[in-house]
Amino acid sequence: MEPRTEWKNGGPWSKETSRTSLRQTQHKFSRMMSDDTQDAFRNVKRNPGTQIWTINNMQMVPVPAQGFGNFFEGDCYIVLHISQNKGSAQSADIHYWIGKASTPDEQGAAAIYVTQLDEYLGGSPVQHREVQGCESPRFRSYFKNGLIYKKGGVASGFDHVDTNVYNVLRLLHVKGRKDVTAMEVEVSWSSFNNGDIFLLDMGKTIVQWNGPKSNRREKLKAVLLAQDIRDRERGGRAQIGVVEGAEERDSPDLMKVMTAVLGPRPAQLKDATPDDVPEQVLSNSVRLYHVFENSGNLVVQEVATQPLTQDLLRSSDCYIADNKGSSVMVWKGKQASKEERREALNRAVGYIKAKNYPPSTSVEVMTEGGESAMFKHLFKSWREKGQTQGMGNTYNVGKIAKVDQVKFDVMELHARPEVAAQQRMVDDASGDVKVWRIENLELAEVNPSTYGRFYGGDCYLVLYTYQRSNQQQYILYMWQGLHATKDEITACAYQAVNIDNKYNGAPVQVRVVMGKEPRHFLAIFKGKLIIFEGGKGRPGVVNPDTGAKLFQVRGTTEFNTKATEVLARGSSLNTNDVFLLKTNQLCYLWYGKGCSGDERVMARTVADVLSRQDKQVVMEGQEPAEFWVALGGKAPYASDKRLHREELPHSPRLFECSNQTGQFKMTEVDDFAQSDLDEEDVMLLDTWEELFLWVGNFANQYETKEAWNSAQEYLRTHPAGRDPDTPIVSVKQGQEPPTFTGWFNAWDPHKWSGGNSYEEMKNKLSDAALSQVTVDLSNTNFNKGPVVVMDGGGYRAPGGPMSSPPVYRVHKGDLSPRPSTLTSPATYPSSPFGDTEKYLAPEVLVNKSPSELPHGVDPVQREDYLSDLDFENLLGTSRSDFQRLPKWRQNDLKKKAGLF
């Protein structure tokens, strides 16, 4: 441990120097605060969803939903996101976003508001500091279609208000495949390059120009962003056209418009600009610091390095967890002083400055009991207050431990994929089983009479076949003995590919390391799984006679029982388990004092498989002398009180694995959904007990290979000291088992057959007619810009005055999105609201009784009255995906959203 570090006054980070700018801001802020400012928090909604405010004249001004995702570079914003967790609990995140042109006063006011909002909400939210261009995955997850950085802002002196929503002329530079950002740039060909995508936004017409070196995923995300601008900012009244930069001659009408606006196109455009190198997904250098004050000086003392344990955190103190090169996290104990808790965010910023970290370094501040998932992932173990033992326990041989005895209804696995995921069970294990062993690097079928016997010197392939929705499903387990040769392990993987090809890529592949067998693998063998430490199972091979063999039996049902060979010594015994001791004369069943009746029953089943010899029951403490002689004499063994070592809850995490930018990288996707699974990439889903590698249909071989290597590296370098033999499951697009799909909300098996590819969406956007925009070419002066005539409308920019709002229409009947095209202008059916034809705000629909709803609203179908954006924010799925769900699932989502 390093000695404590005191940064005294005048040093790199003293109490006084770190607070100077904050005090100045606080002084200004206190003078400008009013009762209206205090009342602002009373309008904060506590329902699930996102709320955004901008700082205008040192006050919080709400941003309308139409402006969500638009951020002015000269401003600071506060974003509150409330999530509905499983059950009735909610969690909240507060982000304050810093524009690159914002003033120190605005930044200070935003930080103070964040602290006060946190206190108003009871101190439970996690606070995040976001810097323009370096936003966290969680922040970006709120804006699935991307972020738009706009010039201007209240304090910067620029025009902050769009006086007319259709009177627009701007060029957006779009970057990113997963997390899309669009920045306003000069409306000129000089802003273009060959590698990126640009949106020329002219109010009623948006032209998307795709650089010749941009890829299909980037093009698709840009189309979605353009449609989002059309639907959210223009009320669906804008037209979208697409120009392929390498095939501009195929779009003469659109190029005519672009030339009118931008001037003659240069013969050469700039080369593609490389994407920024992403931050490291996980750092293998995590340090925990205790932060406190001593005689007016701030003291930062190192407490521990990885792997961290939860007992290091004391409720009376505050700590900084430095995930070096990735993020800085502040943990506030519930019993820490009010001053310490209020200063937490400021201290984190000061710490970053003292360490000379980049200003964009991610900052999270959280209170004891409200820790973020990322923070918990830095710790080897984490226990929630009042947590009870669940179904996901794992244990090590020789340790005092107890398998769970929770029973579950296998029928739930079919009806509820989330149960299948949590239980790691695709079905009740009643399907067909076929087993091969690797012999001379080739496949050799195993006699079914010996199924369930695995030898540590061998490798096996186990093909499990079951039915789901009247279709054959396959799981291919690759079991690797600890004493198998490298050639055998390589041959096992090679033969798995051959079997996979034989079944046209349908099997889900699961790598199983000896001793780390997943639950479903145990269930396949109906409680008769026996693992021999070494030796070979193949015919004709005589394994050396080592005398007595000792097997530790764990399990209470046929779904979770296995017998594992351990050293035949007295020290291997455990008072909480049943052991089988097989000698040349008979087989002893040794019952520890802590074992249960169910365990004894399962041990008898295993004993009948293991040996045909006579069985003798031996109770702990009543062993005959022959028993100890077979074990080489008495020896101390684990006989303390029963200990429960639980596999503690960790939120699942999703990562995108891609080399489409020219280098292989892993990028985390926060608040993930099925729509985040990219057909062109490999995705890694970490559920803590297992790693899933989801392989998209268009992923290349290099990505697939590197994903396997990266998954192993991910485990090896994980700050929590993860088990490197954690099972890795390979899943192909379209062949997902419920153990995978259950981690996603409202999984849609038809997701990739709904016409949402880039080519299909592009075909809906034609450049045949440009009736919504008139470009007067005769009066165009290319030095001053073209004359573009556009029609009226209105919308309020964040923080600015309100003009007439855009008209949002209700799509009755077919509720799927209706993108307007350049050939067929958007049309809308009649609205239930008469002439107004507006969507309703969520607050007038959510958690309201039928009598409280506006006149004419059907209380059973109130989701029909939401805009597409509000619909997806509230229900967590699009209209089209929602319609494909069964009625019971639709009602469940509506209830959770307060629409039922």
Side-chain angles (χ1 to χ4, degrees), residues 70-87:
N70 291 275
F71 292 88
F72 287 82
E73 297 179 345
D75 288 340
C76 291
Y77 293 79
I78 296 172
V79 177
L80 170 63
H81 183 80
I82 299 178
S83 304
Q84 182 70 53
N85 302 324
K86 290 184 178 179

Side-chain angles (χ1 to χ4, degrees), residues 166 168-169 202-205 239 256-257 260-261 769-780 786-791:
Y166 298 111
V168 174
L169 178 59
M202 298 170 285
K204 284 206 169 182
T205 300
Q239 308 300 308
K256 186 176 181 180
V257 173
V261 175
L770 298 173
S771 59
Q772 299 300 312
V773 62
T774 302
V775 183
D776 188 351
L777 298 177
S778 60
N779 294 325
T780 298
V787 178
V788 182
V789 182
M790 300 175 188
D791 296 329

Side-chain angles (χ1 to χ4, degrees), residues 15 186 347 384 438 745 775-776 779 873:
K15 178 181 176 182
E186 181 185 356
R347 285 177 179 173
E384 303 291 354
I438 301 299
N745 183 37
V775 183
D776 188 351
N779 294 325
N873 285 338

Side-chain angles (χ1 to χ4, degrees), residues 200-233:
L200 181 59
D201 184 0
M202 298 170 285
K204 284 206 169 182
T205 300
I206 302 172
V207 179
Q208 174 177 327
W209 184 91
N210 299 327
K213 295 184 179 179
S214 60
N215 61 53
R216 183 172 61 176
R217 179 65 178 177
E218 292 172 323
K219 296 174 184 178
L220 173 60
K221 297 297 286 188
V223 165
L224 294 175
L225 176 61
Q227 291 181 337
D228 183 57
I229 294 172
R230 175 199 65 196
D231 297 338
R232 187 159 44 86
E233 297 188 21

Side-chain angles (χ1 to χ4, degrees), residues 254-428:
L254 289 173
M255 284 304 300
K256 186 176 181 180
V257 173
M258 292 188 70
T259 303
V261 175
L262 301 170
R265 185 199 189 286
Q268 296 291 330
L269 298 176
K270 290 183 292 188
D271 292 333
T273 57
D275 291 331
D276 294 334
V277 178
E279 293 181 348
Q280 191 175 352
V281 171
L282 285 175
S283 169
N284 57 3
S285 179
V286 180
R287 297 177 182 270
L288 184 69
Y289 296 91
H290 178 205
V291 183
F292 59 98
E293 290 186 6
N294 184 16
S295 302
N297 294 313
L298 190 66
V299 179
V300 179
Q301 181 178 5
E302 183 175 324
V303 175
T305 57
Q306 71 179 55
L308 307 179
T309 55
Q310 190 179 0
D311 57 5
L312 294 169
L313 304 173
R314 295 181 300 188
S315 294
S316 58
D317 295 318
C318 292
Y319 297 85
I320 288 179
D322 184 355
N323 193 7
K324 196 170 185 179
S326 176
S327 61
V328 170
M329 304 180 184
V330 181
W331 184 87
K332 304 181 294 182
K334 286 186 175 179
Q335 299 175 16
S337 68
K338 190 173 183 179
E339 178 70 13
E340 283 184 312
R341 293 163 61 84
R342 284 189 169 180
E343 287 290 316
L345 187 57
N346 188 49
R347 285 177 179 173
V349 175
Y351 177 84
I352 288 173
K353 293 178 180 178
K355 286 284 190 176
N356 292 318
Y357 289 168
S360 59
T361 301
S362 172
V363 174
E364 286 187 7
V365 179
M366 65 209 72
T367 300
E368 179 181 1
E371 295 84 1
S372 67
M374 184 60 206
F375 184 79
K376 294 176 185 177
H377 266 261
L378 299 180
F379 290 76
K380 190 171 182 64
S381 61
W382 192 273
R383 184 180 180 88
E384 303 291 354
K385 185 177 180 181
Q387 175 185 314
T388 57
Q389 186 171 347
M391 287 291 294
N393 302 0
T394 58
Y395 306 93
N396 292 329
V397 173
K399 297 286 182 68
I400 302 177
K402 187 64 180 170
V403 294
D404 58 85
Q405 300 186 38
V406 179
K407 300 187 186 302
F408 63 96
D409 181 0
V410 294
M411 295 305 296
E412 282 196 287
L413 303 177
H414 303 282
R416 299 175 58 196
E418 66 271 17
V419 174
Q422 292 163 6
Q423 305 301 335
R424 275 79 181 179
M425 295 283 288
V426 298
D427 69 346
D428 61 359

